[in-house]
C-alpha cells in the first residue's frame, strides 16, 4: 500500500502490494493472533451472538413426571423439532370395510344355498325312500294365489299331491292340516286327489294340527290314516250358505234400486232386499244337496253308515280325543308321529328322507307384507264379496 492512500481505494494497480505463496508458518500464526485480538475487542456482543447461535443445540427440555411422582428432564432427540411441527398422519383403519365385504359375501353364499335347497325340493341328497309332507294351511278356496298368505288353494295342494304321487322315490304322503275349512268346492277337489293317490298305492296320512274342520275334514276323509292331537278341533261336518239383507239401510238413506231380470231367482241374494219364501226354500235345497255329497263321502271313506254319519254331522266341533272315540279319527299323535306311521305304511326301512314340498319359504315370509296381503284380498274379491254368497 502507498502512504498517500492507506485504504487503497484510489490507488492504481502499480501501488498494490501482492503476497506471494507459499506463506510461512510464522506469517499465518501472526495473522491468527491479529484476528483473535480483533474478536476480543468486539466485546460481549459477539459472545452473546455466538451463544444465540449455539442455543438450539442446548435448548431447555420441559420436565416430565415419572411413575414415582418425581420430575425428570426429557432428553431431546434430533427429531423433536421436526415432530413438534408436523405430527405424523395416522393411517385410517379399514377394518369395518373388510367386515362389510365379508358380510356381503356370506349373504350371497347363504342365498345360493337356500336357492339350491329349494330347487332340490328341500333335499340335498337323493334318496329312494321319501315321505312327502304337504301343508294345508288357511282358508280353503279354488284359486292360484301363492300359499303361505292365509289361504290354501286346491290348485296348489292338488298339484303337489300329483307331483308326490308321480315321484317313484316317494313311498308315502303326509297332509299337515291347519284349516278351519272354506269353499266346499275346494274341499271336493282336494278330496278327489287324496283318494286318487291312496288308490294308486301311495299311503296318505293326515296330521291334524290346531284345527281341521268342515271342508278340511272333508278332504281328510279318504286318507289311509287320520291322526289328530287330543285338543285338535275337527268335525263341523255340514254346509252353510249365508245372505245379507241391508234393505233397511237403503230405505233409511232414501236409496231406491230397480232390478231388471230375466227370471225370478236371478237377483237372489242381493243385499238390497231379503229372500222371498220361494228363494229360501230353494236355498235350503242347494245346501242339502252339497251336504249330501259331504256326508256320503265321509261314510264311504270312513266305513261308517250314512245314518251314523248324519247323527254326527250336525255341524258341531269335536276335539281330537272325542273324534277318535266317534271313529272320525284313527290315532292320536303329532306331526312326527304321523311321519313315522307314514314311513311304516310305505314300507320304508330305517330313517326316511322327509321332503316338505310346499312349506312357506323365506321369500314368501319376506315379501308377505301388508301391501302383498292387500293385493291378495283384492284378488279374492270374487269369493269374499260374491253376490251369491259362499257355500261352506
Amino acid at each position: 500500500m502507498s502512504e498517500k492512500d492507506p485504504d487503497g481505494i484510489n490507488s492504481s494497480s502499480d501501488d498494490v502490494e501482492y503476497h506471494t505463496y507459499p506463506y510461512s508458518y510464522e506469517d499465518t500464526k501472526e495473522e491468527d493472533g491479529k484476528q483473535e485480538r480483533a474478536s476480543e475487542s468486539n466485546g460481549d456482543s459477539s459472545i452473546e451472538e455466538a451463544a444465540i447461535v449455539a442455543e438450539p443445540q442446548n435448548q431447555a427440555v420441559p420436565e416430565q413426571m415419572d411413575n414415582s411422582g418425581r420430575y425428570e428432564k426429557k432428553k431431546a432427540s434430533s427429531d423433536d423439532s421436526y415432530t413438534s411441527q408436523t405430527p405424523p398422519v395416522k393411517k385410517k383403519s379399514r377394518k369395518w370395510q373388510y367386515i362389510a365385504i365379508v358380510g356381503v359375501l356370506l349373504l350371497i353364499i347363504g342365498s345360493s344355498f337356500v336357492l339350491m335347497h329349494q330347487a332340490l325340493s328341500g333335499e340335498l341328497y337323493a334318496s329312494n325312500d321319501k315321505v312327502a309332507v304337504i301343508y294345508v294351511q288357511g282358508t280353503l278356496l279354488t284359486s292360484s294365489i301363492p300359499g303361505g298368505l292365509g289361504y290354501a288353494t286346491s290348485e296348489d295342494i292338488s298339484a303337489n299331491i300329483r307331483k308326490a304321487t308321480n315321484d317313484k322315490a316317494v313311498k308315502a304322503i303326509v297332509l299337515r292340516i291347519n284349516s278351519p275349512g272354506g269353499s266346499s268346492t275346494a274341499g271336493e277337489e282336494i278330496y278327489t286327489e287324496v283318494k286318487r293317490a291312496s288308490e294308486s298305492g301311495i299311503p296318505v296320512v293326515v296330521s291334524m294340527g290346531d284345527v281341521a274342520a268342515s271342508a278340511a275334514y272333508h278332504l281328510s276323509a279318504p286318507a289311509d290314516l287320520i291322526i289328530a292331537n287330543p285338543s285338535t278341533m275337527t268335525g263341523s261336518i255340514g254346509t252353510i250358505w249365508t245372505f245379507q239383507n241391508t234393505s233397511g239401510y237403503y230405505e233409511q238413506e232414501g236409496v231406491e234400486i230397480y232390478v231388471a231380470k230375466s227370471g225370478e231367482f236371478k237377483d237372489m241374494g242381493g243385499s238390497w232386499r231379503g229372500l222371498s219364501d220361494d228363494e229360501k226354500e230353494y236355498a235350503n235345497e242347494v245346501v242339502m244337496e252339497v251336504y249330501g255329497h259331504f256326508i256320503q263321502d265321509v261314510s264311504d271313506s270312513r266305513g261308517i253308515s250314512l245314518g251314523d254319519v248324519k247323527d254326527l254331522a250336525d255341524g258341531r266341533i269335536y276335539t281330537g280325543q272325542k273324534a277318535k272315540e266317534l271313529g272320525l279319527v284313527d290315532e292320536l299323535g303329532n306331526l312326527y308321529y304321523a311321519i313315522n306311521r307314514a314311513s311304516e305304511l310305505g314300507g320304508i326301512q330305517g330313517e326316511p328322507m322327509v321332503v316338505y314340498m310346499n312349506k312357506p319359504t323365506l321369500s314368501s315370509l319376506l315379501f308377505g307384507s301388508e301391501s302383498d296381503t292387500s293385493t291378495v284380498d283384492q284378488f279374492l274379491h270374487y269369493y269374499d264379496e260374491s253376490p251369491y254368497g259362499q257355500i261352506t
Side-chain angles (χ1 to χ4, degrees):
M1 300 291 181
S2 64
E3 295 180 358
K4 293 181 181 181
D5 193 358
D7 296 330
I9 299 174
N10 299 320
S11 63
S12 63
S13 60
D14 296 335
D15 298 329
V16 178
E17 293 183 4
Y18 293 93
H19 294 283
T20 59
Y21 291 92
Y23 285 112
S24 64
Y25 176 76
E26 287 77 11
D27 294 336
T28 305
K29 184 175 181 181
E30 182 178 355
E31 288 180 6
D32 292 340
K34 291 179 181 180
Q35 291 178 3
E36 290 178 2
R37 287 191 296 273
S39 60
E40 289 177 359
S41 64
N42 288 334
D44 297 335
S45 60
S46 299
I47 298 173
E48 292 175 359
E49 292 175 359
I52 293 173
V53 173
E55 184 176 354
Q57 301 178 0
N58 302 293
Q59 60 183 352
V61 180
E63 294 180 340
Q64 200 173 37
M65 180 182 291
D66 61 6
N67 294 332
S68 62
R70 292 178 295 182
Y71 288 89
E72 61 178 6
K73 290 185 177 181
K74 180 181 177 183
K75 294 182 180 180
S77 63
S78 59
D79 297 334
D80 285 348
S81 59
Y82 175 77
T83 56
S84 62
Q85 297 176 2
T86 55
V89 179
K90 186 177 180 181
K91 189 176 180 179
K92 187 176 180 180
S93 175
R94 297 180 179 271
K95 181 178 74 172
W96 294 110
Q97 295 180 6
Y98 296 146
I99 292 175
I101 293 173
V102 172
V104 172
L105 291 175
L106 291 176
L107 180 62
I108 294 173
I109 294 172
S111 301
S112 301
F113 273 108
V114 170
L115 293 176
M116 291 173 58
H117 187 267
Q118 294 178 0
L120 294 172
S121 298
E123 58 173 319
L124 294 179
Y125 304 98
S127 173
N128 293 324
D129 295 323
K130 301 177 184 177
V131 173
V133 177
I134 301 174
Y135 283 85
V136 182
Q137 297 187 141
T139 303
L140 291 166
L141 72 162
T142 59
S143 180
S144 60
I145 64 171
L149 296 176
Y151 296 93
T153 67
S154 59
E155 285 90 335
D156 174 67
I157 297 167
S158 298
N160 278 282
I161 293 174
R162 283 179 169 262
K163 182 178 179 181
T165 304
N166 295 332
D167 188 347
K168 295 181 179 179
V170 173
K171 304 303 181 182
I173 298 173
V174 173
L175 295 180
R176 176 62 167 176
I177 301 179
N178 277 295
S179 172
S183 165
S184 296
T185 305
E188 289 173 345
E189 288 193 347
I190 301 172
Y191 170 93
T192 302
E193 294 303 322
V194 173
K195 184 178 180 180
R196 173 181 173 273
S198 177
E199 291 176 349
S200 69
I202 304 297
V204 179
V205 176
V206 166
S207 172
M208 295 181 173
D210 296 318
V211 58
S214 193
Y217 183 81
H218 189 176
L219 68 89
S220 303
D224 296 277
L225 190 67
I226 298 178
I227 300 173
N229 292 279
S231 60
T232 297
M233 308 302 288
T234 187
S236 186
I237 301 172
T239 306
I240 185 173
W241 192 6
T242 58
F243 300 90
Q244 283 187 338
N245 181 4
T246 59
S247 58
Y249 168 78
Y250 291 116
E251 292 176 1
Q252 183 178 359
E253 296 297 324
V255 178
E256 294 184 2
I257 298 175
Y258 172 77
V259 178
K261 55 185 179 180
S262 59
E264 180 184 356
F265 294 92
K266 189 58 182 177
D267 66 337
M268 176 181 171
S271 62
W272 53 86
R273 67 175 182 85
L275 295 177
S276 65
D277 292 338
D278 290 339
E279 289 172 338
K280 291 177 182 178
E281 183 178 352
Y282 177 71
N284 289 331
E285 291 177 2
V286 172
V287 167
M288 294 307 295
E289 180 182 350
V290 176
Y291 172 74
H293 294 315
F294 193 166
I295 60 175
Q296 187 65 59
D297 288 342
V298 173
S299 175
D300 295 341
S301 300
R302 297 301 300 171
I304 306 175
S305 67
L306 189 59
D308 291 340
V309 173
K310 285 184 177 180
D311 293 339
L312 301 174
D314 57 1
R316 76 180 67 186
I317 285 287
Y318 300 105
T319 64
Q321 181 69 50
K322 187 64 176 179
K324 182 177 179 298
E325 296 174 3
L326 297 173
L328 298 176
V329 168
D330 297 305
E331 298 178 9
L332 299 178
N334 61 10
L335 171 62
Y336 299 101
Y337 176 77
I339 292 174
N340 291 335
R341 293 290 285 122
S343 178
E344 294 173 2
L345 294 176
I348 299 175
Q349 300 294 328
E351 193 72 19
M353 172 64 68
V354 181
V355 181
Y356 298 90
M357 298 189 63
N358 64 339
K359 188 175 184 178
T361 61
L362 178 63
S363 59
S364 68
L365 295 177
L366 290 176
F367 298 108
S369 62
E370 293 182 1
S371 59
D372 294 326
T373 304
S374 176
T375 302
V376 171
D377 292 340
Q378 295 176 10
F379 185 77
L380 296 177
H381 181 271
Y382 83 94
Y383 177 78
D384 293 330
E385 299 186 20
S386 169
Y388 307 108
Q390 299 90 36
I391 300 178
T392 58

